[in-house]
Amino acid sequence: ADCTVRSGVLQAGQYCGRIEVEYDDGTLYRVKPEQLSYAVVDEEAEAQRQLERLEAEESAIQGEKAVVLAILNAFAEERRRKAEEEAQQRLFEANQAIQREIEEQERQRRAIAAEHARRIAEAVAAKERERDERGRYVDYSLVQGNHVAKCFNETVTCVALGGDATIMLYESGGFACTSGLTTNLYNKLNGRQKSLPPAEYVAMGPMGKYYVRFADAKSEWVGCDEMSKDIRKRNQRIKTIAFGEYSDSYFIVFADGGFSCQNIPNGLNKLLKSRRLKGDLECVSLGPNGEWFVSAKNGRI
């Protein structure tokens, strides 16, 4: 019958020197060691076989483990390869986006530069047309004419004469004048702060009279009371203003072609009446001795 060794060799007691053995039926015996030599040998052989089986199983497991590890490594390598490809793709797309952004910025820069150049060209062309319309050259017989010749150029926007004095305004906002300019007007222009809008139109007359309009549409003048009332009453942009030979003589042409005047030469008065006081004037000039000049918007003089 099969039995199981339950102890080593007992070292004390009445069964000293024996070994406890239990059979399958539960019976417990205490036998001498030599009585178990065959069973031990069989058990040792069985243990050796079990070890061999375990080693074989372990080898098989190691082989299967190697296969599984190889599969896992293949999956890991595939994931790494895909991750690397995705990273390279993201990097490529990021570089493409950056390149597109650079190209868009360059396109916008060129568009802005082209628009800026177009506006500059338009401004230059408009300025040239403006210069053509007002005239680039003058012919005159003036006191201190040599000085006027040195100061005049195509950037002069306005020329005013008064007595022996001549004053010129420039596109830059500056001015030039000959001697004889009234102290009041000179100080008004020369002492004006650079931060304030410059003068854009000026007219002079005898007895220290003048009118000056600045780029912000504000104006200052010295003239008779009736002229001051007309300017304030109409409250319109003045195209030109002229002072005549008398203290209360003046002629104002407004931007819409309308006009207001007082104590003007008879010849001019008759002309205006013959035209039924038509409000289409462009410019009127008065001289110190009854001279006058008039032009209409249709170009007639």
Side-chain angles (χ1 to χ4, degrees):
D2 293 331
C3 62
T4 301
V5 178
R6 293 296 185 186
S7 72
V9 179
L10 300 174
Q11 301 298 320
Q14 62 177 338
Y15 298 110
C16 180
R18 292 180 179 268
I19 299 173
E20 289 185 349
V21 177
E22 182 181 1
Y23 285 87
D24 292 342
D25 58 3
T27 306
L28 185 65
Y29 292 93
R30 297 169 183 83
V31 297
K32 294 180 180 180
E34 58 269 18
Q35 293 176 307
L36 293 175
S37 60
Y38 179 76
V40 170
V41 171
D42 287 345
E43 186 176 350
E44 181 181 3
E46 180 61 25
Q48 182 63 38
R49 287 192 296 274
Q50 182 67 18
L51 176 61
E52 291 173 355
R53 285 195 301 271
L54 292 174
E55 289 177 346
E57 291 176 358
E58 181 182 14
S59 178
I61 291 172
Q62 290 296 330
E64 293 178 0
K65 181 179 178 181
V67 173
V68 172
L69 286 175
I71 294 173
L72 292 175
N73 288 337
F75 280 116
E77 178 61 22
E78 180 65 15
R79 285 194 301 273
R80 185 199 65 77
R81 184 186 64 78
K82 287 184 177 180
E84 183 176 347
E85 289 180 354
E86 290 174 356
Q88 291 178 350
Q89 182 64 26
R90 288 193 297 271
L91 179 61
F92 174 77
E93 292 175 354
N95 288 334
Q96 288 292 100
I98 292 173
Q99 184 62 32
R100 287 193 297 271
E101 179 67 20
I102 292 174
E103 291 175 355
E104 176 61 19
Q105 291 178 355
E106 178 63 16
R107 186 194 66 78
Q108 293 180 4
R109 185 193 67 79
R110 290 180 179 178
I112 292 173
E115 177 63 16
H116 182 65
R118 184 187 66 80
R119 291 183 179 181
I120 290 177
E122 287 183 352
V124 170
K127 182 62 67 176
E128 292 301 314
R129 288 193 300 270
E130 182 182 337
R131 290 171 177 173
D132 288 337
E133 289 173 359
R134 71 170 179 252
R136 298 172 182 265
Y137 309 99
V138 291
D139 188 13
Y140 53 83
S141 176
L142 297 171
V143 177
Q144 305 177 74
N146 290 336
H147 182 70
V148 172
K150 291 178 181 178
C151 295
F152 185 87
N153 58 49
E154 64 181 7
T155 68
V156 171
T157 60
C158 179
V159 178
L161 308 177
D164 292 340
T166 301
I167 184 171
M168 290 165 282
L169 304 182
Y170 296 95
E171 293 172 355
S172 63
F175 75 97
C177 62
T178 64
S179 61
L181 192 68
T182 61
T183 302
N184 192 6
L185 178 58
Y186 179 82
N187 291 339
K188 187 72 65 177
L189 298 176
N190 190 56
R192 190 169 178 81
Q193 296 180 7
K194 298 294 184 181
S195 59
L196 295 177
E200 64 177 9
Y201 175 77
V202 62
M204 294 190 298
M207 295 168 279
K209 291 181 289 187
Y210 70 85
Y211 173 89
V212 57
R213 184 182 67 241
F214 302 99
D216 59 358
K218 294 181 179 180
S219 58
E220 297 185 25
W221 64 85
V222 172
C224 67
D225 292 340
E226 288 300 320
M227 187 188 82
S228 298
K229 290 178 182 179
D230 271 348
I231 293 174
R232 294 190 178 100
K233 180 179 179 181
R234 294 290 291 267
N235 192 27
Q236 294 184 24
R237 181 180 177 86
I238 292 176
K239 178 77 172 178
T240 64
I241 187 168
F243 300 95
E245 58 183 317
Y246 305 110
S247 62
D248 61 347
S249 177
Y250 65 89
F251 200 111
I252 303 172
V253 177
F254 296 97
D256 62 359
F259 62 90
S260 178
C261 58
Q262 179 174 279
N263 202 4
I264 60 175
N266 289 331
L268 176 57
N269 192 30
K270 290 179 181 179
L271 175 64
L272 296 175
K273 289 180 179 181
S274 69
R275 301 180 78 252
R276 298 180 181 178
L277 304 178
K278 192 175 181 180
D280 64 343
L281 299 184
E282 183 73 19
C283 173
V284 172
S285 296
L286 300 177
N289 298 306
E291 305 93 342
W292 56 272
F293 169 87
V294 61
S295 66
K297 289 187 176 183
N298 60 10
R300 291 185 178 181
I301 298 175

